[in-house]
Amino acid sequence: MIATIDDRLNDLWEGCLNNNRKQQEALYKLLAPRMMSVCLRYAKDKDTAQDILQEGFMKVFKNMQYYRGEGSREGWVRRIMVHCAINNYRKAKKMVLVDDFSDTTLNNGYGYNAQTLDTNDLLKLVQQLPDNYRSIFNMYAIDGYSHKEIGNNLNISEILSRTNLNRARTMLKNQISKMEMRDSYCLAG
């Protein structure tokens, strides 16, 4: 019989609760790749994502006894990672006016082919968004938070959450359009 990730998590959880370092290491190895993808969505670069991941796992191991059995354990860990990413955003938060963004803010040097835009390419585009837009886009579009929840988590109004989500989507659409134009120009020339 093949063990699922949930079965492995259940087996490792008790050992982790007893501070068994080998069990903690095994749990980390099991979940780190999945949680890293969560952290990368919120971080501006891989180093920041790794910092969020480490902070998240420290909180997971410190607070495991508070898991109430509601939902999956992986979902509980994911939620901690998202909260660590939000806290990281709050620490680094800078007030920036929307009008201050120029085309040079978004790096166009990746050489994408719009027809073959894959997950990694899209992730790079999302990572180029300003911090506040990236966080709101991820919380709403990827993690399913409502604008009210986003507002509460980021200490902003629901209206600002909606506005920033629309601006993030517009920036992403513009970047994809620029890539399509650049690619068609390269093919024509």
Side-chain angles (χ1 to χ4, degrees), residues 5 7 11 19 24-25 49 54 65 69 91-93 96 115 126 134-135 141 148 153 159 170 174 180 182 185 187 189:
I5 191 165
D7 294 336
D11 293 343
N19 289 322
Q24 289 175 337
E25 181 181 357
Q54 294 307 316
Q65 70 274 15
K91 289 177 199 170
K93 186 175 172 181
V96 181
Q115 270 62 28
V126 171
R134 183 177 58 248
S135 294
K148 184 175 183 173
N153 277 310
I159 293 171
T170 299
N174 289 341
E180 288 173 345
R182 185 179 61 239
Y185 177 76
L187 291 174

Side-chain angles (χ1 to χ4, degrees), residues 8 12 15-16 19-29:
R8 286 280 294 139
L12 296 171
C16 292
N19 289 322
N20 180 316
R21 298 290 178 218
K22 289 187 186 239
Q23 298 289 322
Q24 289 175 337
E25 181 181 357
L27 181 88
Y28 178 88
K29 286 180 180 177

Side-chain angles (χ1 to χ4, degrees), residues 3 5 13-14 21 43 48 63 68 73-74 82 107 113-114 116 127 138-139 141 149 155-156 168-169 172 179:
I5 191 165
W13 205 262
E14 283 301 315
R21 298 290 178 218
T48 304
N63 296 298
R68 295 181 296 216
R73 286 185 168 100
E74 182 178 355
V82 169
N107 182 357
N113 178 336
T116 60
Q127 286 175 327
N138 280 313
M139 290 176 77
E149 292 171 317
N155 298 321
I156 61 174
R169 286 178 173 162
L172 288 171
M179 290 171 11

Side-chain angles (χ1 to χ4, degrees), residues 14-61:
E14 283 301 315
C16 292
L17 284 170
N18 295 322
N19 289 322
N20 180 316
R21 298 290 178 218
K22 289 187 186 239
Q23 298 289 322
Q24 289 175 337
E25 181 181 357
L27 181 88
Y28 178 88
K29 286 180 180 177
L30 179 67
L31 292 178
R34 291 176 184 206
M35 296 305 123
M36 183 62 170
S37 67
V38 171
C39 297
L40 277 168
R41 288 196 326 257
Y42 283 89
K44 62 183 171 198
D45 57 42
K46 191 171 183 177
D47 290 336
T48 304
Q50 288 175 328
D51 291 344
I52 295 168
L53 181 75
Q54 294 307 316
E55 179 185 348
F57 270 106
M58 287 174 28
K59 287 184 179 186
V60 166
F61 293 131

